[in-house]
C-alpha cells in the first residue's frame, strides 16, 4: 500500500546550497509566464520526448491558492503546487496510455489537467515525490487539450534545472474489456501466466471495484468454475508491484456484473492481490478485473486454480476457512470435523490462512470441535460456509470443545446479519439488544467506505431503517459491560425503496461515524456538533434530520471483541417515526431432512413481532395436515433465530411438512410446504448429472411392469411437472427436460398405478 508523508518545513544547509545553484541556473534560462496562455506547446507528432530541458516561469503563477486542493489521484499535499512551475500544453492525436516523467530536483511533482487548471479544467492525475524523479502513467483521449504541470514544493522553488520525458501512446491490450477477457486455465495448483495493464483504459459498465484505489487502467480475465465451486486467483509482481483485483459473476461478458470479492494486498507476493472464493456455480464463467494501485501500470503474472475435491452425488461441499490475524500459524490448535459420528479429521493453519473443502451428503450429520491448546488464541478464527452463506462463525478467540452440529441439507443459509446484505431491518422505535461473535463472510468495508472506523469490521452487526415520518433521529448504544468499547458508522440517505441488495456494501464514506476510544455509551445526540470522530473523540456525534422514506445503513461494532451485548435506545424528535408494516414473523427458510429413521425439521426467522409459538404440521397427501409438535418462539426479535423439531415417527414414503406461527393474540399464519422421503435404498431414483443443467436422465428401479406416474416437486413442495411412464420391472431410464425450470432443489416422485409411492430422488437444477 502506498503511503505519502508530508515533509517538515525545516530545511538543511545542503538544501539551501542547492537553492542557490537552482537560482543561478534560472538566471541563464528563458523565463516564461506559466499561465495557460503562456504554456509551452508540445507537438504529439514528435513523441517520444526524452530528457528535454524544462522551461520554467520566473514566478509562482499556478499555486495552491488559485488551484486549491491536494493532488488528484494520489491525494499528495497541495504544497507541491507552490514552486515556480513549468507548464506545457498538448492535444493528443491518439487515445492511449502516456508515461510522463520529470528528473532533476528533489520534491518534484507532475499534474495532468484536461483544460486549464485556473479556468475550470479537470485534474486527471497528480503525483509528488520526495526524490529527484517522478513518473505518472495516464490515459489521454485524442482531441482533448491537456496541460502538463511540473512543479516542486516551495523549497527548492522550481523543478528547473531539470528534464522531462513523454512516451508515445501505448495501445490498450486486447483484454482491456470483459468481452476480450483472456481465459485462464483452471488447474489444481497455480500456474502463472504473464500479462500487462500498460495501455489499458478504464472499463465502463461493470460496477467500479471497492478496493485498491481504483482509477482505471484495468484488464480482464475469465475462468470457468470447477465442480468444487471454489476458485482461487493469485497474482505476482513484474514491473507492476502493487495491484488490485475484483471478481465478478455475470451471465455473459456484456453483463450485468455483480462484484463477488475485491482484494488489495492478499497475496503472499508483496503488495499483489489474491482472491479465494467459494460457493460459485460449478461450470459458470466468472470475470476477473486487474489494475494497478492508484493507476500504476506494468507487467504482472496471474493464475487461477481450484480444489480437486468434488461433492458426492446429490451432495455439496462445506468450506472450512481458518485465519490467523498475525500470520504465524495456530501451533497445536486445530479444528476437528466428524461426519456421521466417525473419527475427527483435524485441520490447522501454518501461516495466515487455510481453506479446506469437505464433501458431505444430504442427511449427513456434521460435528465440529475446536482444540485451543495453542498460544495467542485471540489471533485465531474460522468459519464454516456453504454456497457463500455462513453456517458457523467461531469469532475470536474460538470456544474450545464441541461447538457446532448440523444435519446437511445442501441448501445455502441466508446471509448473516454480520454481513451488510444480511442486515436486520429495524421497524420500530423500541429499544433492542444484540451481540455477535464474528465479522460475517464478506469484507463489506474498505478504507474508503469505513470512514472513521480505521479498524474496519470487528465484532459487528448491520442494520437498516427507513423513517415513516420526518424529524430528528438520535440513539444511544449502551454496552452490557461498561468497559466495552463500541463504535458505529451510519450511511445514507439512500432513495426510498432501497434494499440491502442495492446499497450493500456501502461505497462512500459514512454520514455519521464514531471511533472514539473510551469505553461506555456512544451514539447520536442533539448537543454534539461534529459528524465524525476518531479515537480521540467523546463518543457522541450530531443527530440526524430525516425525511419520510429515506433509507439508512447502520453498522455497530464491538471494538473490544468481548462477545458481550449492547442495548440501543432511540431518541426521536420532531415527529420522527421508524414504524413500518411488517409480518408477525419473517421466515427465512424451512427444510425437512431425513436422518436415519427420523426427519429433522429446521427453520429460521429474520424477525419476529409478538409470536407465541410455532406448530409443526405433517401430511401424507399434501392437503390434510395434523400437528406433530410445538416449539416456543423468541417472541420479539430483530435478529435471525434458528429452530428445530425432530419428527421421531415419519411415515414411509413422502412426508409433507409446514409451520403455523401462532401470535400472542392467537392469530396464526401458515408457511409454505416442504417434503421429506422415507424409503429404502432400492427405491432411490438417481438423476444424472447432478447438479443438472437443461437436460438430465433419471435412473429408477421399478417393482413390476405397469403404468407409473412421475411427479416433479420444487423446493417448496409444489408439483411443477407430471407425466406418465410405461415402466418395466427392473431398471428404467427417463429423460428429463429442465430447460424451463428455475435453478434450485427438486424432488422426483414415482407412484405405481394405485398411486402408492415406489421411488424418489433429489437433484439440483443449476
Amino acid at each position: 500500500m502506498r503511503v505519502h508523508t508530508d515533509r517538515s518545513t525545516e530545511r538543511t544547509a545542503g538544501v539551501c546550497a542547492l537553492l542557490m545553484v537552482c537560482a543561478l541556473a534560472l538566471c541563464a534560462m528563458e523565463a516564461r509566464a506559466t499561465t495557460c496562455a503562456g504554456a509551452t506547446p508540445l507537438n504529439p507528432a514528435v513523441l517520444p520526448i526524452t530528457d528535454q530541458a524544462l522551461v520554467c516561469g520566473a514566478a509562482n503563477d499556478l499555486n495552491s491558492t488559485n488551484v486549491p486542493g491536494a493532488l488528484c489521484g494520489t491525494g499528495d499535499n497541495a504544497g507541491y503546487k507552490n514552486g515556480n512551475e513549468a507548464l506545457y500544453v498538448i492535444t493528443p492525436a491518439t487515445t492511449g496510455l502516456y508515461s510522463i516523467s520529470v528528473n532533476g530536483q528533489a520534491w518534484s511533482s507532475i499534474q495532468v489537467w484536461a483544460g486549464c487548471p485556473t479556468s475550470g479544467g479537470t485534474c486527471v492525475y497528480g503525483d509528488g515525490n520526495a526524490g529527484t524523479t517522478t513518473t505518472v502513467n495516464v490515459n489521454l483521449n485524442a482531441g482533448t487539450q491537456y496541460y502538463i504541470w511540473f512543479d516542486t514544493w516551495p523549497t527548492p522553488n522550481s523543478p528547473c534545472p531539470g528534464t522531462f520525458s513523454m512516451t508515445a501512446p501505448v495501445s490498450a491490450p486486447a483484454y482491456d474489456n470483459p468481452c476480450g477477457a483472456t481465459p485462464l486455465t483452471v488447474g489444481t495448483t497455480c500456474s502463472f501466466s504473464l500479462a500487462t495493464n500498460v495501455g489499458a483504459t478504464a472499463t465502463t459498465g461493470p460496477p467500479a471495484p471497492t478496493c485498491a484505489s481504483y482509477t482505471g487502467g484495468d484488464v480482464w480475465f475469465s475462468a470457468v468454475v470447477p465442480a468444487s465451486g471454489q476458485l482461487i486467483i493469485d497474482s505476482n509482481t513484474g514491473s507492476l508491484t502493487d495491484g488490485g483485483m475484483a471478481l465478478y459473476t455475470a451471465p455473459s461478458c456484456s453483463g450485468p456484473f455483480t462484484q463477488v470479492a475485491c482484494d488489495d494486498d492478499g497475496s503472499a507476493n508483496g503488495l499483489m492481490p489474491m482472491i479465494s472464493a467459494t460457493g460459485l456455480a460449478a461450470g459458470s464463467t466468472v470475470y476477473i478485473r486487474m489494475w494497478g494501485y492508484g493507476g500504476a501500470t506494468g507487467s504482472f503474472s496471474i493464475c487461477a486454480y481450484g480444489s480437486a475435491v468434488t461433492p458426492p452425488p446429490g451432495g455439496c461441499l462445506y468450506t472450512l476457512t481458518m485465519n490467523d490475524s498475525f500470520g504465524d500459524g495456530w501451533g497445536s490448535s486445530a479444528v476437528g470435523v466428524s461426519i456421521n459420528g466417525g473419527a475427527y479429521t483435524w485441520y490447522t493453519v501454518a501461516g495466515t490462512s487455510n481453506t479446506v473443502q469437505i464433501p458431505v451428503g444430504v442427511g449427513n450429520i456434521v460435528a465440529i470441535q475446536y482444540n485451543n491448546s495453542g498460544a495467542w488464541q485471540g489471533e485465531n478464527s474460522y468459519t464454516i460456509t456453504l454456497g457463500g452463506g455462513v453456517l458457523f462463525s467461531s469469532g475470536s478467540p474460538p470456544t474450545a470443545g464441541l461447538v457446532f452440529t448440523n444435519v446437511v441439507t445442501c441448501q445455502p443459509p441466508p446471509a448473516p446479519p454480520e454481513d451488510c446484505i444480511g442486515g436486520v431491518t429495524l421497524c420500530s422505535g423500541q429499544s433492542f439488544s444484540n451481540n455477535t461473535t464474528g465479522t460475517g463472510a464478506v469484507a463489506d468495508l474498505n478504507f474508503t467506505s469505513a470512514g472513521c472506523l480505521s479498524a474496519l469490521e470487528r465484532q459487528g452487526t448491520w442494520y437498516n431503517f427507513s423513517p415513516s415520518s420526518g424529524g430528528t433521529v438520535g440513539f444511544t448504544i449502551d454496552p452490557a459491560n461498561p468497559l466495552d468499547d463500541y463504535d458505529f458508522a451510519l450511511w445514507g440517505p439512500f432513495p426510498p425503496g432501497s434494499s440491502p441488495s442495492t446499497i450493500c456494501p456501502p461505497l462512500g464514506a459514512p454520514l455519521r461515524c464514531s471511533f472514539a476510544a473510551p469505553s461506555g455509551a456512544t451514539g447520536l445526540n442533539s448537543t454534539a456538533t461534529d459528524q465524525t470522530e476518531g479515537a480521540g473523540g467523546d463518543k457522541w456525534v450530531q443527530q440526524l434530520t430525516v425525511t419520510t422514506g429515506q433509507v439508512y445503513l447502520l453498522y455497530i461494532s464491538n471494538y473490544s471483541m468481548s462477545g458481550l451485548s449492547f442495548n440501543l435506545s432511540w431518541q426521536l424528535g420532531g415527529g420522527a417515526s421508524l414504524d413500518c408494516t411488517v409480518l408477525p414473523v419473517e421466515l427465512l427458510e424451512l427444510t425437512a431432512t431425513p436422518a436415519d429413521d427420523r426427519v429433522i425439521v429446521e427453520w429460521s426467522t429474520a424477525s419476529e413481532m409478538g409470536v407465541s409459538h410455532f406448530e409443526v404440521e405433517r401430511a401424507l397427501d399434501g392437503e390434510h395436515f395434523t400437528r406433530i409438535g410445538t416449539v416456543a418462539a423468541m417472541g420479539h426479535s430483530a435478529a435471525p433465530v434458528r429452530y428445530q423439531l425432530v419428527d421421531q415417527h415419519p411415515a414411509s414414503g413422502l412426508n409433507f411438512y409446514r409451520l403455523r406461527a401462532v401470535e400472542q393474540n392467537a392469530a396464526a399464519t401458515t408457511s409454505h410446504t416442504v417434503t421429506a422421503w422415507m424409503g429404502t435404498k432400492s427405491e432411490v431414483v438417481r438423476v444424472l448429472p447432478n447438479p443438472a443443467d437443461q437436460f438430465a436422465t433419471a435412473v429408477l428401479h421399478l417393482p413390476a411392469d405397469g403404468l407409473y406416474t412421475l411427479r416433479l416437486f420444487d423446493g417448496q413442495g409444489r408439483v411443477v411437472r407430471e407425466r406418465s411412464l410405461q415402466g418395466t420391472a427392473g431398471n428404467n431410464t427417463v429423460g428429463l427436460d429442465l430447460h424451463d425450470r428455475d435453478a434450485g432443489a427438486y424432488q422426483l416422485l414415482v407412484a405405481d398405478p394405485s398411486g402408492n409411492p415406489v421411488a424418489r430422488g433429489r437433484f439440483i437444477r443449476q
Side-chain angles (χ1 to χ4, degrees):
M1 187 78 71
R2 180 180 301 174
V3 178
H4 296 280
T5 305
D6 294 342
R7 56 185 158 161
S8 167
T9 56
E10 297 180 0
R11 290 292 176 261
T12 65
V15 174
C16 293
L18 180 60
L19 275 172
M20 295 176 65
V21 174
C22 293
L24 290 173
L26 282 170
C27 292
M29 294 178 63
E30 173 189 0
R32 190 179 186 99
T34 48
T35 61
C36 291
T40 301
L42 296 176
N43 183 357
V46 303
L47 296 178
I49 297 170
T50 304
D51 293 333
Q52 180 172 308
L54 287 168
V55 177
C56 295
N60 184 18
D61 298 305
L62 300 178
N63 51 61
S64 60
T65 300
N66 57 22
V67 187
L71 274 59
C72 70
T74 58
D76 285 350
N77 196 291
Y80 279 108
K81 300 178 179 180
N82 291 334
N84 295 348
E85 62 282 327
L87 187 66
Y88 294 81
V89 62
I90 186 172
T91 302
T94 304
T95 297
L97 181 76
Y98 293 76
S99 181
I100 307 167
S101 62
V102 63
N103 183 56
Q105 303 302 320
W107 301 98
S108 59
S109 68
I110 304 174
Q111 296 177 70
V112 180
W113 288 72
C116 179
T118 57
S119 304
T122 300
C123 183
V124 176
Y125 194 73
D127 191 11
N129 195 328
T132 58
T133 300
T134 299
T135 301
V136 299
N137 298 297
V138 289
N139 288 295
L140 304 181
N141 296 319
T144 299
Q145 187 180 62
Y146 294 94
Y147 288 84
I148 304 172
W149 174 359
F150 300 98
D151 212 331
T152 56
W153 200 282
T155 307
N157 72 341
S158 174
C160 294
T163 61
F164 78 97
S165 301
M166 184 173 183
T167 65
V170 178
S171 300
Y175 43 100
D176 187 43
N177 59 75
C179 287
T182 297
L184 298 176
T185 300
V186 179
T188 57
T189 59
C190 176
S191 180
F192 280 121
S193 299
L194 292 175
T196 180
N197 72 329
V198 174
T201 59
T203 305
T204 58
T210 56
C211 68
S213 188
Y214 173 80
T215 60
D218 50 40
V219 289
W220 290 81
F221 306 86
S222 64
V224 177
V225 179
S228 65
Q230 180 196 33
L231 190 65
I232 300 171
I233 309 104
D234 199 3
S235 63
N236 203 351
T237 58
S239 58
L240 179 68
T241 58
D242 190 355
M245 178 192 295
L247 176 66
Y248 297 84
T249 57
S252 73
C253 67
S254 300
F257 290 84
T258 300
Q259 181 180 295
V260 174
C262 192
D263 185 66
D264 185 356
D265 301 331
S267 177
N269 305 314
L271 300 178
M272 299 299 284
M274 183 188 80
I275 288 174
S276 178
T278 59
L280 302 172
S284 65
T285 298
V286 294
Y287 296 87
I288 301 105
R289 188 182 209 165
M290 188 79 186
W291 66 96
Y293 181 88
T297 63
S299 61
F300 61 93
S301 54
I302 187 170
C303 71
Y305 61 102
S307 172
V309 178
T310 57
C316 53
L317 294 174
Y318 280 8
T319 300
L320 168 63
T321 304
M322 298 162 284
N323 297 291
D324 184 289
S325 60
F326 192 76
D328 59 350
W330 282 7
S332 58
S333 294
V335 176
V337 180
S338 169
I339 299 176
N340 293 331
Y344 280 88
T345 302
W346 294 91
Y347 305 95
T348 189
V349 178
T352 300
S353 64
N354 185 22
T355 299
V356 178
Q357 294 204 296
I358 304 165
V360 292
V362 172
N364 287 170
I365 299 175
V366 176
I368 305 293
Q369 65 170 289
Y370 179 70
N371 176 342
N372 69 344
S373 60
W376 307 106
Q377 289 296 307
E379 300 171 0
N380 300 356
S381 64
Y382 63 95
T383 58
I384 305 287
T385 58
L386 171 64
V390 178
L391 293 166
F392 177 76
S393 178
S394 72
S396 182
T399 301
L402 182 64
V403 293
F404 175 73
T405 59
N406 168 258
V407 178
V408 177
T409 65
C410 287
Q411 297 298 313
E418 292 85 359
D419 288 331
C420 183
I421 194 67
V424 177
T425 299
L426 301 174
C427 288
S428 170
Q430 295 180 347
S431 63
F432 66 90
S433 298
N434 194 25
N435 72 302
T436 185
T437 58
T439 57
V442 177
D444 291 299
L445 297 181
N446 56 47
F447 287 110
T448 298
S449 60
C452 76
L453 300 181
S454 58
L456 302 182
E457 300 171 73
R458 291 179 68 88
Q459 285 181 349
T461 306
W462 289 86
Y463 303 90
N464 56 81
F465 63 90
S466 179
S468 54
S469 58
T472 60
V473 173
F475 56 74
T476 300
I477 301 169
D478 196 7
N481 176 8
L483 298 179
D484 276 353
D485 176 10
Y486 268 89
D487 303 309
F488 69 89
L490 187 147
W491 293 262
F494 300 101
S498 298
S499 65
S501 63
T502 61
I503 59 179
C504 286
L507 300 180
L511 183 67
R512 298 287 189 273
C513 191
S514 174
F515 191 62
S519 59
T522 184
L524 309 179
N525 66 22
S526 60
T527 59
T529 57
D530 55 336
Q531 298 184 353
T532 184
E533 60 182 10
D538 63 359
K539 300 191 76 69
W540 296 96
V541 293
Q542 189 179 59
Q543 67 183 12
L544 289 174
T545 299
V546 300
T547 59
T548 302
Q550 293 176 329
V551 178
Y552 294 88
L553 283 174
L554 173 64
Y555 180 68
I556 300 177
S557 173
N558 183 350
Y559 181 85
S560 301
M561 300 184 70
S562 64
L564 300 178
S565 66
F566 67 87
N567 182 78
L568 185 146
S569 57
W570 298 96
Q571 291 83 51
L572 305 177
S577 170
L578 300 183
D579 295 338
C580 56
T581 302
V582 295
L583 295 174
V585 60
E586 183 181 356
L587 189 67
L588 285 175
E589 62 175 345
L590 170 64
T591 61
T593 307
D596 297 326
D597 58 349
R598 302 163 297 151
V599 172
I600 311 297
V601 182
E602 296 179 291
W603 66 99
S604 63
T605 62
S607 61
E608 299 175 24
M609 295 285 288
V611 180
S612 169
H613 62 274
F614 295 96
E615 296 177 353
V616 180
E617 299 181 330
R618 183 184 65 202
L620 302 182
D621 58 1
E623 297 181 4
H624 301 90
F625 285 87
T626 58
R627 187 177 64 198
I628 62 170
T630 300
V631 177
M634 182 66 70
H636 297 276
S637 173
V641 181
R642 291 183 177 274
Y643 298 92
Q644 183 186 93
L645 182 138
V646 179
D647 183 1
Q648 301 287 357
H649 305 289
S652 178
L654 192 63
N655 293 260
F656 296 81
Y657 296 91
R658 70 183 186 187
L659 291 177
R660 290 184 76 244
V662 181
E663 300 173 48
Q664 293 170 351
N665 62 3
T669 56
T670 303
S671 75
H672 63 276
T673 300
V674 296
T675 61
W677 173 270
M678 298 300 293
T680 65
K681 292 184 178 179
S682 62
E683 298 168 326
V684 173
V685 177
R686 289 191 301 148
V687 177
L688 304 173
N690 189 4
D693 196 356
Q694 297 189 37
F695 299 94
T697 300
V699 181
L700 56 148
H701 183 89
L702 299 176
D705 295 348
L707 184 66
Y708 293 83
T709 302
L710 277 68
R711 294 186 179 92
L712 184 65
F713 295 82
D714 66 11
Q716 297 186 2
R718 299 172 298 191
V719 177
V720 295
R721 181 164 296 165
E722 183 173 317
R723 58 167 287 187
S724 297
L725 168 67
Q726 187 63 50
T728 59
N731 289 330
N732 294 255
T733 59
V734 181
L736 302 176
D737 183 358
L738 305 171
H739 78 277
D740 58 346
R741 295 293 96 205
D742 293 333
Y746 290 86
Q747 185 167 224
L748 187 65
L749 176 68
V750 183
D752 65 16
S754 300
N756 299 314
V758 296
R760 63 90 184 161
R762 294 176 184 266
F763 67 95
I764 302 295
R765 165 70 161 95
Q766 64 183 10

